Amino acid sequence: MNLLDAIKNKDVLLLDGAIGTELDKRGIMGRASNNLENPDIVLEIQREYANCGCDALTANTLTMNRIYIQTHNLDVSVRDANIAGVELAKKAADNGQYVLGNISSTGQLLKPYGTYTESQFYDTFKEQAEILAEAGADGFLIETVFDLREAMCALKACKENSLLPVIASIAFDTEQKGGRTMMGDSAEQCAKKLTEAGADVVGANCGSLDPSQMAVVISILKSATSLPLLAQPNAGKPKLVGDKTIFEMSPAPFAAGISECIDAGASIVGGCCGTAPEHIKTVAKMLRERKV
């Protein structure tokens, strides 16, 4: 069964949790350049997730697009980092999990707020998508994007240059006023635009919401699209302690929040920042209990 069939036929598809914050716990910066610099650690984390009962693993390629790499002065090859990310995830997928090529923000803004054009964003996402597909990803996960226009560039780049299914997920700052991103895009606008552009799944992840608040956004997305919905909240609302951002929600209340997201309409769930293998294991247990 291919990934798209699994999305359509499985009651709830379980993804993995955060990689970046797990890398941070191990004392290395949570960047995808670790695919080349610390592959054994990346593989260890992904194997822990694979053993939690999830259905798909996410390649550690979140920010490995050319614009992000160049503007952050990273000494890493776009091609090598993305291929290594998919290969590590595939190696960890001992239980036959699907592997998602992970695509996220360039870290820059489009005109008139920044200096980049949509064609520049499209080109950098096209390059990354083609490499991820070549490496053997089963689909794309576009996530943690705060600007609908940037998400549209990434979605079009994936759909126009590959036949793989695409999950397009937006980061929302608030569940109020119809759910809003940092750039002011509403959840309804995001759902409708991404659906029209050919997304196979739309959803919400990361942002400034706890799982229960994300359930509110999921309900708004459900009213605006007939596509399957993804919910990948953080382990609670982010808190700044000193110079570090921390997430304090433990696995049990996190799983309860995921259950709320499912009740609101999500059929694909997982964890974002601050979630660990124990969070995903607890969600897997909750899913089994719901099924019974």
Side-chain angles (χ1 to χ4, degrees), residues 1 4 9 25 35 67 101 103 120 135 146 191-192 211 228 250 256 262 290:
M1 185 186 301
L4 194 56
N9 296 323
K25 288 179 186 176
N35 296 338
I67 291 176
I103 295 174
Q120 287 174 302
F146 299 86
K192 289 183 176 180
S250 60
I262 294 170
R290 280 179 66 105

Side-chain angles (χ1 to χ4, degrees), residues 62-63 65 102-110 121 125 128 141-155 158 166-173 180-186 190 194 203-208 214 230 232 272:
L62 184 75
T63 54
N65 61 73
N102 203 5
I103 295 174
S104 187
S105 173
T106 61
Q108 304 299 313
L109 295 175
L110 289 163
F121 273 19
F125 290 131
Q128 187 182 16
L141 172 59
I142 301 166
E143 64 173 349
T144 322
V145 182
F146 299 86
D147 184 349
L148 176 58
R149 289 195 299 156
E150 182 172 21
M152 291 288 286
C153 291
L155 175 57
C158 290
V166 184
I167 302 170
S169 180
I170 303 293
F172 290 91
D173 254 20
R180 296 283 169 171
T181 69
M182 182 178 70
M183 301 300 289
D185 306 306
S186 73
C190 292
L194 295 170
N205 80 291
C206 201
S208 300
M214 186 166 285
L230 164 77
Q232 276 196 296
C272 205

Side-chain angles (χ1 to χ4, degrees), residues 28-290:
I28 56 179
M29 289 192 70
R31 285 186 173 148
S33 53
N34 284 301
N35 296 338
L36 303 171
E37 297 164 0
N38 298 287
D40 291 345
I41 298 177
V42 175
L43 182 60
E44 176 188 55
I45 294 168
Q46 293 191 313
R47 279 183 167 156
E48 288 180 9
Y49 280 125
N51 291 330
C52 290
C54 65
D55 299 297
L57 297 174
T58 307
N60 184 39
T61 56
L62 184 75
T63 54
M64 288 295 97
N65 61 73
R66 186 168 298 278
I67 291 176
Y68 187 96
I69 287 172
Q70 290 179 345
T71 55
H72 287 74
N73 300 311
L74 302 180
D75 184 19
V76 61
S77 159
V78 175
R79 180 175 181 81
D80 291 348
N82 281 283
I83 287 180
V86 174
E87 290 179 345
L88 286 167
K90 289 174 74 71
K91 190 173 182 180
D94 295 332
N95 299 315
Q97 287 95 350
Y98 300 101
V99 170
L100 299 172
N102 203 5
I103 295 174
S104 187
S105 173
T106 61
Q108 304 299 313
L109 295 175
L110 289 163
K111 292 181 177 180
Y113 306 105
T115 60
Y116 286 85
T117 64
E118 291 186 11
S119 63
Q120 287 174 302
F121 273 19
Y122 177 94
D123 289 343
T124 200
F125 290 131
K126 175 179 182 289
E127 176 187 31
Q128 187 182 16
E130 289 179 336
I131 294 169
L132 292 170
E134 177 190 338
D138 297 301
F140 300 112
L141 172 59
I142 301 166
E143 64 173 349
T144 322
V145 182
F146 299 86
D147 184 349
L148 176 58
R149 289 195 299 156
E150 182 172 21
M152 291 288 286
C153 291
L155 175 57
K156 289 177 181 178
C158 290
K159 296 300 289 188
E160 292 175 2
N161 297 283
S162 173
L163 297 177
L164 295 177
V166 184
I167 302 170
S169 180
I170 303 293
F172 290 91
D173 254 20
T174 177
E175 82 285 12
Q176 299 177 1
K177 299 180 180 179
R180 296 283 169 171
T181 69
M182 182 178 70
M183 301 300 289
D185 306 306
S186 73
E188 181 181 4
Q189 287 173 319
C190 292
K192 289 183 176 180
K193 288 286 187 181
L194 295 170
T195 300
E196 291 169 2
D200 297 286
V201 176
V202 299
N205 80 291
C206 201
S208 300
L209 309 180
D210 64 29
S212 294
Q213 292 170 315
M214 186 166 285
V216 177
V217 171
I218 294 298
S219 67
I220 299 170
L221 295 176
K222 184 173 177 60
S223 68
T225 181
S226 60
L227 292 177
L229 301 177
L230 164 77
Q232 276 196 296
N234 297 330
K237 294 174 72 69
K239 294 182 179 179
L240 190 62
V241 178
D243 61 349
K244 291 185 177 181
T245 302
I246 63 170
F247 301 86
E248 298 180 327
M249 183 173 280
S250 60
F254 177 80
I258 290 292
S259 185
E260 289 182 47
C261 290
I262 294 170
D263 290 339
S267 58
I268 307 170
V269 298
C272 205
C273 299
T275 58
E278 190 59 37
H279 289 80
I280 301 306
K281 190 180 297 183
T282 305
V283 173
K285 180 175 180 290
M286 176 272 292
L287 293 176
R288 291 193 297 272
E289 291 171 351
R290 280 179 66 105

